[in-house]
Amino acid sequence: MGKVKRVIKKGLGEMGFNAGGGAINWFPGHMAAATRAIRERLKLADLVLEVRDARIPLSSANQDLQPHLSSKRRILALNKRDLANPNIMHKWIHYFDSCKQDCIAINAHSKSSVKKLLDLVELKLKEVIAREPTLLVMVVGVPNVGKSALINSIHQIASSLFPMQGKMKRATVGPLPGVTQDIAGYKIAHQPSIYVLDSPGVLVPSIPDIETGLKLALAGSVKDSVVGEERIAQYLLAVLNTRGTPLHWIHLNNRRLEGIKFDSEGKHEYSLKDLRPKRRKPPNNSDVLYIEDIVTEVQCALYLTLSEFTGNVEDEGDLEGLIEQQFEALQKAFKIPHKASEARLMISKKFLTLFRAGKLGPFILDDVPDANCVS
């Protein structure tokens, strides 16, 4: 792992194809106001649920809020665990446990998973319940870590647990001691009343570390247009190559990784929408198989380019050359016409969609710290 760390840090901080992009910053005006509001609300919270992306357990922490969170009862909810490598996830849980930080890996779309989180919330609030008639639980996190999905699942679970509360519409909490204005939230329990307060996703005004910014962008916490899809795709390819991930795909894939062929007369036309989960209606089997074929073709392209690579992935020029070859291979895999305008943008968008949908496998991009506890 030492070599990988060195390559990624050097490669993505200083490599020519990324150096021109500079630091990644995305802090629109509403985030400044939201950050101030969150800090004020935190003073009232009896417990904080900090939602992070399980693929980047450290990089998805809002460092500006950490000093305010460290003094509160806090539970780290590492969401999107279904997209994270389970072989490494347990090491992260152990790491946070060793730092005396309550932590649980969840899938916000799974009610059983969220129920376990709520059980932990109740356990942590037991000492407060005896003396407080109303308790506030605040949900915080950077953009796109799944706060809304978590709130919706909590809402649905509470509706089934407390039917006397009717449709469990958004409730207003207040007036509270020391509060001059009402605070909107969801009531999830009765006697004592427990309200869950949602908050907008906010980033820090500046992300000084380029790699942290690229990880956030890859996970979708920073808008693609801010960083550029091609730059994010190059980062992903650099990570895959330095970890040797494509070389493992041949052992995981029983299909013909040496060159699967598409039926050129097929009626399918690739669309990013094909990769989105289909809900409320049964999936079309032909669409599912088609996506599997695309995944196999992409895996095949990256496996062959890396296995035939004779250079050194630790060398900036060699790695950049490999990534260029892989863009060409991906263009063929996605069947994008050679003369297509903005071909690299199309390749990048489709490649990122496969990764974000978990089609390339589960990943954790952050390395578990060796010793010292980091927020």
Side-chain angles (χ1 to χ4, degrees):
M1 288 299 292
K3 285 186 177 181
V4 171
K5 284 184 184 177
R6 250 195 337 272
V7 171
I8 291 177
K9 205 161 189 180
K10 191 254 180 189
L12 301 176
E14 302 171 14
M15 276 191 179
F17 56 80
N18 266 330
I24 295 167
N25 298 310
W26 182 49
F27 196 71
H30 74 273
M31 282 193 187
T35 300
R36 290 192 295 271
I38 289 171
R39 286 172 181 164
E40 288 302 311
R41 288 188 174 193
L42 280 173
K43 298 174 183 176
L44 308 169
D46 297 289
L47 183 141
V48 177
L49 272 179
E50 184 184 358
V51 185
R52 297 187 187 179
D53 191 314
R55 297 167 296 179
I56 43 175
L58 287 183
S59 297
S60 57
N62 183 316
Q63 293 303 328
D64 280 7
L65 290 178
Q66 293 309 307
H68 302 273
L69 299 177
S70 60
S71 60
K72 309 292 295 186
R73 291 180 189 83
R74 173 173 60 165
I75 295 175
L76 290 185
L78 302 182
N79 190 31
K80 305 185 182 182
R81 73 175 187 188
D82 52 313
L83 301 177
N85 188 334
N87 297 324
I88 302 176
M89 191 74 263
H90 75 276
K91 296 180 182 179
W92 275 104
I93 300 295
H94 176 75
Y95 166 75
F96 286 117
D97 284 346
S98 69
C99 295
K100 310 300 180 185
Q101 172 59 63
D102 291 298
C103 177
I104 182 172
I106 67 166
N107 176 356
H109 295 287
S110 165
K111 287 186 180 179
S112 62
S113 179
V114 175
K115 182 65 171 64
K116 291 179 181 178
L117 173 62
L118 292 180
D119 289 342
L120 181 57
V121 168
E122 186 177 348
L123 179 66
K124 299 303 293 183
L125 285 175
K126 270 190 175 179
E127 59 189 68
V128 193
I129 286 175
R131 62 178 186 269
E132 297 289 346
T134 301
L135 302 173
L136 299 180
V137 176
M138 189 166 183
V139 181
V140 300
V142 301
N144 204 33
V145 290
K147 295 187 305 301
S148 296
L150 177 59
I151 288 288
N152 289 337
S153 291
I154 290 175
H155 190 186
Q156 292 171 15
I157 291 171
S159 298
S160 62
L161 291 176
F162 307 103
M164 74 288 295
Q165 296 181 48
K167 295 183 179 180
M168 295 289 294
K169 291 182 178 179
R170 195 166 178 81
T172 299
V173 187
L176 296 171
V179 186
T180 57
Q181 62 182 17
D182 292 341
I183 297 175
Y186 288 107
K187 189 173 184 179
I188 64 166
H190 190 58
Q191 293 181 343
S193 296
I194 300 179
Y195 291 85
V196 173
L197 310 181
D198 196 5
S199 65
V202 292
L203 290 167
V204 295
S206 176
I207 306 172
D209 181 66
I210 291 179
E211 186 177 354
T212 297
L214 287 167
K215 288 177 181 177
L216 286 165
L218 180 54
S221 291
V222 177
K223 279 188 176 180
D224 286 349
S225 58
V226 172
V227 184
E229 288 89 344
E230 184 177 338
R231 186 182 179 193
I232 305 171
Q234 287 174 162
Y235 171 75
L236 175 55
L237 286 170
V239 171
L240 294 176
N241 290 325
T242 52
R243 292 185 176 188
T245 303
L247 299 180
H248 299 297
W249 283 334
I250 192 170
H251 303 297
L252 299 174
N253 204 319
N254 294 324
R255 306 187 70 182
R256 291 170 292 147
L257 219 95
E258 292 301 327
I260 184 171
K261 300 292 184 181
F262 283 136
D263 180 0
S264 59
E265 296 181 359
K267 296 181 180 179
H268 296 292
E269 181 178 349
Y270 183 87
S271 167
L272 295 178
K273 294 180 180 178
D274 290 340
L275 297 176
R276 295 175 184 168
K278 295 179 173 61
R279 297 177 183 171
R280 297 182 182 175
K281 61 180 181 179
N284 184 305
N285 287 337
S286 62
D287 286 345
V288 172
L289 290 174
Y290 182 61
I291 294 171
E292 289 180 357
D293 283 350
I294 290 176
V295 171
T296 303
E297 186 78 12
V298 167
Q299 290 177 332
C300 175
L302 298 184
Y303 164 75
L304 290 175
T305 50
L306 183 57
S307 63
E308 295 171 359
F309 177 62
T310 57
N312 182 358
V313 292
E314 294 188 24
D315 180 84
E316 176 181 340
D318 285 355
L319 183 55
E320 183 176 359
L322 171 61
I323 290 173
E324 284 300 310
Q325 291 179 28
Q326 290 175 327
F327 262 94
E328 294 178 8
L330 288 173
Q331 184 168 355
K332 295 178 181 177
F334 287 126
K335 295 193 176 298
I336 296 172
H338 285 283
K339 295 182 180 180
S341 60
E342 300 183 341
R344 288 178 73 91
L345 178 60
M346 295 168 65
I347 295 164
S348 300
K349 284 184 174 181
K350 293 180 178 183
F351 185 48
L352 292 175
T353 298
L354 288 178
F355 172 80
R356 290 167 177 167
K359 299 299 182 181
L360 300 181
F363 288 87
I364 293 183
L365 300 172
D366 284 340
D367 294 318
V368 182
D370 294 328
N372 296 335
C373 292
V374 183
S375 298

